[in-house]
């Protein structure tokens, strides 16, 4: 039995501003990323490898706010955050405020597997990347026209206001019964002051433990940090002994109550998969080895 | 009813290398910091103000690994992390990888109260500090002889090996029944690659919620991040409905099982206070308005 689920951001698309062709392009991006991770699982590969491959595919696609498609900061640069966690070992790796790294999720994996630390930030994280042969790209690689327009709109409208946003993530269960999670983001358009979101915060936007579940969040990151959302889902499952679906609903309710928008994907070692959100859209897809799965964008699609 | 508890680091002192006079100096530092926060509470001040004042006192004391007494990085600089959280509002502020800020905890408070973000890192966080009138100091202010010797020892012994460490923190309950937490650290001696520990990770080393408890951790930060220790204590209290003391014991057991050393302080709105650790020492103190309290260093002291 194996399963994978991915997301490409919650709240980043609205029906009003998305035509059918655009929707198909996003769905194709999701499908390609889903298949990249699924293929790893189908050949007996492990969950860590699967979530990395899915997230890399999303990072390489300019449509998603991660890697190549990362939004612009207030300074016109691209600062990315990412994290990975292995549910079997509770090993974790995360990076924050990193520029020019082609695949931030692969850097997070290198931190997880080759560093004695969990979280590396800024120039130091880039020194680690250089020392470990991670691929770099010039600034221009990350400059996309639609993100530049988002920045210009954000700067015209109101300084510091969050507009363009989004995160990508994946959770997987492999044939050996292990789960893992990967999350990666370009943050929020026009962000200032080295803002770090929930993605690289273990427990906030990213968490995995074979005993409970793997969770990747997307949306208003500050709320996920304050609510420790990813670990909250795991705690509800473990300590309150409730179903994964109920735990995810509870976490989304808390997000709504505190005034945040977003969603999460989660799965456990029994093969349960949840994709929950409280806003108009969450780019999402999942697939298991029994032929079940779906690729959806809007609320109330299954 | 009001209460405050503080710590000045776990595992940083050993009996073998600490004489009576040194022990007294640490205890005097703890007493001064405890009284600084207690005085706020005694005059009807709030928990946020109290934990800030206690942690500022520890940051200003060269004995403790935070603010002035921060350890050296591998590059011979001082990079500090800090976080604050208000249990009434769940508002939080944190900074990571900041240099030259005199009182990192006050910067974390400014982020909590004056920023729309929760976590700011590196140069961006320093830009925010400058824009908000936070006090800066030259590098020399943070250079202390005993920390330089720790760096030299660490670099002789083994590159990248963690030796000098420690964190300071405070939790408080004010007369209005609100709790808050503050944590601040210079990280680990000889740290590289922009390593960020658990202190600024909300849920990892720092967490507060009036409904459960306020928690500040100290020790091997990577383990606290992976175990989401501060929020784990809160989750155990809320979802398993166990006593705060039992929740803290469980969290320390998990730390021990995973191979980490350290401790934590916690309190709740009922005035329960816990100071737990699994190593030889934790610099700690607490005091309430009923005349109870203590200042201790070693295991098995009450």
């Amino acid at each position: 039995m194996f399963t994978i689920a991915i997301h490409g951001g919650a709240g980043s698309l609205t029906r009003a501003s998305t035509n059918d062709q655009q929707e198909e392009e996003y769905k194709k991006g999701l499908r390609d990323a889903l298949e990249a991770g699924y293929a790893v699982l189908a050949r007996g590969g492990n969950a860590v490898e699967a979530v990395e491959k899915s997230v890399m595919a999303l990072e390489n696609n300019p449509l998603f706010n991660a890697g190549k498609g990362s939004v612009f900061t207030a300074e016109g640069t691209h600062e990315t955050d990412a994290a990975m966690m292995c549910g079997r070992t509770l090993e974790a790796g995360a990076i924050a405020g990193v520029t020019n790294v082609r695949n931030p999720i692969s850097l997070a994996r290198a931190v997880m597997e080759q560093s004695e630390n969990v979280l590396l930030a800024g120039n130091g994280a880039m020194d680690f990347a250089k020392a470990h042969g991670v691929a770099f790209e010039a600034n221009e690689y990350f400059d996309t026209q639609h993100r530049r327009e988002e920045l210009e709109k954000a700067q015209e409208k109101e300084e510091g206001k969050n507009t363009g946003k989004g995160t990508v993530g994946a959770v997987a269960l492999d044939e050996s019964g292990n789960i893992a999670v990967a999350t990666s983001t370009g943050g929020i358009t026009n962000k200032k002051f080295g803002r770090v979101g929930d993605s690289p915060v273990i427990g906030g936007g990213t968490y995995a433990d074979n005993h409970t579940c793997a969770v990747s969040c997307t949306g208003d990151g500050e709320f996920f940090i304050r609510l420790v959302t990813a670990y909250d889902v795991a705690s509800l499952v473990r300590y309150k002994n409730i179903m994964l679906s109920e735990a995810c609903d509870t976490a989304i309710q808390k997000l709504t109550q505190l005034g945040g928008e977003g969603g999460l994907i989660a799965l456990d070692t029994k093969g349960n998969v949840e994709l929950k959100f409280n806003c108009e859209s969450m780019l999402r897809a999942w697939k298991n080895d029994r032929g079940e799965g779906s690729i959806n964008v809007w609320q109330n699609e299954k």
Side-chain angles (χ1 to χ4, degrees), chain A residues 105-227:
Chain A
I105 199 63
S106 301
L107 177 53
R109 184 176 179 181
V111 172
M112 178 171 91
E113 295 180 342
Q114 298 169 55
S115 158
E116 61 186 357
N117 300 130
V118 170
L119 175 55
L120 304 182
N123 292 333
M126 291 169 68
D127 291 342
F128 179 87
K130 282 170 200 155
H132 288 79
V134 166
F136 279 77
E137 297 286 349
N139 289 335
E140 297 69 41
Y141 170 80
F142 303 93
D143 293 348
T144 56
Q145 188 52 32
H146 67 296
R147 296 302 185 194
R148 194 179 292 282
E149 286 162 15
E150 282 176 359
L151 176 65
E152 285 162 4
K153 248 183 258 177
Q155 291 183 330
E156 274 166 32
K157 218 162 92 184
E158 190 184 325
E159 252 197 308
K161 182 88 184 115
N162 305 347
T163 52
K165 56 187 181 181
T167 297
V168 308
V171 289
L173 164 66
D174 64 30
E175 226 173 35
S176 306
N178 296 312
I179 60 177
V181 59
T183 311
S184 180
T185 186
I188 47 179
T189 294
N190 201 31
K191 73 178 172 183
K192 295 163 92 170
F193 300 132
R195 179 260 188 188
V196 176
D198 61 308
S199 304
V201 176
I202 300 300
T206 302
Y207 184 75
D209 179 356
N210 277 3
H211 296 99
T212 52
C213 53
V215 184
S216 175
C217 301
T218 167
D220 296 332
E222 278 70 13
F223 291 89
F224 292 115
I225 296 177
R226 292 165 60 198
L227 292 166

Side-chain angles (χ1 to χ4, degrees), chain A residues 22-89:
Chain A
Q22 288 168 322
E23 186 176 327
E24 280 315 307
E25 282 169 13
Y26 279 103
K27 283 187 171 179
K28 185 187 177 307
L30 287 170
R31 185 175 299 113
D32 292 348
L34 189 73
E35 293 300 335
Y38 188 86
V40 172
L41 299 173
R43 65 163 190 264
N46 66 46
V48 165
E49 183 76 16
V51 294
E52 184 191 16
K53 286 295 178 292
S54 279
V55 167
M56 283 177 74
L58 294 164
E59 285 177 340
N60 294 341
N61 186 327
L63 288 177
F64 300 95
N65 179 24
K68 177 160 178 54
S70 293
V71 297
F72 284 86
T73 66
E75 291 81 32
T77 60
H78 307 276
E79 285 183 6
T80 60
D81 305 332
M84 188 178 278
M85 189 162 186
C86 169
R88 181 175 62 80
T89 60

